[in-house]
Each structure stands twice: as C-alpha cells, then as structure tokens.
Amino acid sequence: MDRYLIIKTRDELLRIRIKDILYLEADRNYTKLLLSEGIQFTFAINIGKIEEMLENQVVDYRSMLVRVGKSYIINKNYILQINLPRQKLLLLTPGGKPRELVVSKEPLKALKDALEKEGSRQQTSNNNNDTETREI
C-alpha cells in the first residue's frame, strides 16, 4: 500500500507518494522537494513544518525518510554513496541519474553509522532465517 504526504498551501494541494521523494531541502523559510523522476517543487513552508506533517500523516515514515542535519530529509532507498572526507552524499534515481548533496560531516557520519547498524541487523536476521531453513 502506498503512503502519501499531502502538502496544502493557500493556493494549492500536492499529494506525493513517499517512495517517490528523493529528498527535501531547507532553504530558509522555504522547502525544496525533489522527486525521483526529477520533478521539483518549492513551498513557502520550512522543513521543520514539513517534518511535522510527515509525523502526523504518515505512519512509520522514518523507515524510508531520514533527517540529515538541518538542511535535508532524504529517502534512504536512493542512497548510493556516503563520502565522509568530501562531505558528499550521492543519491541515485531509478533512471540512473546521480544527485550529489553536500552535507555537514557530523550528520553524515550519524547517517552512515545508522545505515551500518541497519545493515548488520538485516544480515543477522537473514543469517537466522538461513539457520532456521536448514534446521527444517
């Protein structure tokens, strides 16, 4: 089942599938939204308010979207590379077009650590499933 974020402004309403969000970027009191297909929107709403909307509208949105520092909310499913020394985060769209973001070192390291933990939990879970399959 697809989950949606609905953003309402005075003049418009936008209904976005969560899995189609590549990232959201803070720009003072505005937020830029880039979809995986390359379509971009800008709202006169700050990124903190967008995060509140996500919390109120989408159950477990954090399984897909993660806040990275003060400037970004990114879709974890599109992460291709994290480069700490260069402070770069490379996202890859379904069409194969890379998008490079410059992110502060500390939030980038926290993201890397979180993804590593997530990966090791998945590996442990897969190993347990393999063991259970062999025992049957």
Side-chain angles (χ1 to χ4, degrees):
M1 186 176 120
D2 288 335
R3 294 176 283 176
Y4 291 87
L5 170 64
I6 295 173
I7 298 175
K8 295 183 283 186
T9 65
R10 186 173 50 103
D11 300 323
E12 65 184 337
L13 179 133
L14 189 63
R15 184 174 173 256
I16 308 152
R17 242 189 335 222
I18 298 297
K19 70 179 185 179
D20 291 338
I21 296 172
L22 185 61
Y23 67 87
L24 296 126
E25 179 180 9
D27 186 10
R28 290 186 219 88
N29 290 330
Y30 294 87
T31 300
K32 293 179 191 173
L33 165 67
L34 189 73
L35 299 178
S36 58
E37 295 85 21
I39 300 167
Q40 182 174 317
F41 297 94
T42 302
F43 306 101
I45 303 171
N46 71 36
I47 200 164
K49 185 72 173 163
I50 296 284
E51 196 169 26
E52 284 178 29
M53 289 177 184
L54 281 163
E55 287 176 13
N56 293 332
Q57 294 179 27
V58 185
V59 176
D60 194 33
Y61 79 92
R62 293 178 200 268
S63 66
M64 244 190 273
L65 301 177
V66 62
R67 180 82 184 249
V68 182
K70 295 179 182 179
S71 299
Y72 295 102
I73 296 173
I74 62 157
N75 189 326
K76 295 188 292 188
N77 296 321
Y78 295 115
I79 296 173
L80 177 63
Q81 179 187 38
I82 296 172
N83 186 320
L84 289 176
R86 291 187 169 179
Q87 295 179 269
K88 302 282 185 194
L89 175 61
L90 192 64
L91 303 175
L92 189 65
T93 64
K97 184 178 179 188
R99 183 66 79 151
E100 188 176 88
L101 305 177
V102 177
V103 181
S104 299
K105 198 171 255 184
E106 288 305 312
L108 203 55
K109 183 169 180 358
L111 175 62
K112 180 180 175 285
D113 293 345
L115 290 174
E116 286 173 348
K117 281 182 189 173
E118 208 173 274
S120 65
R121 278 196 305 265
Q122 287 175 351
Q123 188 64 36
T124 302
S125 174
N126 288 342
N127 288 342
N128 289 342
N129 289 342
D130 290 346
T131 303
E132 291 171 13
T133 304
R134 282 187 222 121
E135 291 175 357
I136 291 177

